[in-house]
Amino acid sequence: MFAGQGSQWVGMGRGLYEGSRVFAEAFDQVCGLLELELGVSVRDVVLGADGVDEALVDQTLYAQAGLFAFEVALAAVLKAAGVVADAVVGHSVGEVAAAYVAGVLSLSDASRLVAARARLMQGLPGGGAMAAIGASEAEVEPGLKSGVSIAAVNGPQSVVVSGETAAVEQVVEYWRGRVVGCGGCG
């Protein structure tokens, strides 16, 4: 299972990079392809190199590219250890990592896709937010504020809302601590 943006942190994979030749080689290969497309050092940001602004890891461009590089390199470590998945799945940018690992995309095509996606999403205007809510679409939709909409339905009791930051925060505050979908469990 390959995660999407939001699961990244500065120094993610540094221990593996320093301790696993397989991880380091795969990570460097992916970062090289991404850096050709993006013109920035994904490797230094993800690994937390000296002098790199740590806040960059949360920018969409670096977060998505870095997660993809990490996930592909981690999959290489598992493959080298003899672990073969019967199936793979991913969320958001993790879908591209899953597609590469499943053999649907070549590494160069997957890297180009991730770079284009990250660049486009980074270019969106600021001031927006997303949040996951553990409730059904039918439960969440009636209480949405102006400027907020359902962005994704991840499951029967899991939706993502998006919109203007203040309005999203109001919706999240409403749902914070509520127990939903339990059939009157009180």
Side-chain angles (χ1 to χ4, degrees):
M1 181 177 290
F2 297 95
Q5 184 175 342
S7 59
Q8 76 282 348
W9 67 90
V10 174
M12 178 178 66
R14 186 177 22 225
L16 276 170
Y17 188 85
E18 293 169 353
S20 169
R21 181 183 53 76
V22 171
F23 183 90
E25 287 175 1
F27 187 78
D28 284 346
Q29 180 184 14
V30 177
C31 284
L33 291 169
L34 291 167
E35 290 165 7
L36 284 172
E37 296 290 327
L38 298 171
V40 297
S41 178
V42 173
R43 179 186 175 277
D44 289 347
V45 171
V46 173
L47 296 178
D50 289 337
V52 172
D53 180 1
E54 292 188 5
L56 290 175
V57 79
D58 290 324
Q59 287 187 11
T60 299
L61 184 80
Y62 294 99
Q64 292 192 8
L67 278 169
F68 176 72
F70 172 82
E71 291 171 344
V72 168
L74 186 58
V77 170
L78 293 171
K79 183 178 180 181
V83 177
V84 179
D86 290 331
V88 292
V89 65
H91 172 71
S92 188
V93 72
E95 292 173 311
V96 183
Y100 164 70
V101 169
V104 174
L105 294 172
S106 70
L107 185 57
S108 61
D109 286 346
S111 296
R112 274 194 298 279
L113 178 58
V114 167
R117 182 182 197 275
R119 192 174 29 252
L120 289 168
M121 290 179 74
Q122 180 72 34
L124 292 171
M130 295 175 68
I133 298 175
S136 72
E137 181 179 16
E139 291 167 316
V140 172
E141 198 161 33
L144 291 179
K145 305 286 182 198
S146 175
V148 180
S149 60
I150 302 279
V153 178
N154 291 333
Q157 292 294 312
S158 178
V159 299
V160 175
V161 295
S162 67
E164 299 166 2
T165 301
V168 169
E169 288 172 354
Q170 288 177 352
V171 172
V172 168
E173 190 57 38
Y174 172 81
W175 285 99
R176 193 176 314 281
R178 289 187 177 272
V179 177
V180 296
C182 65
C185 58

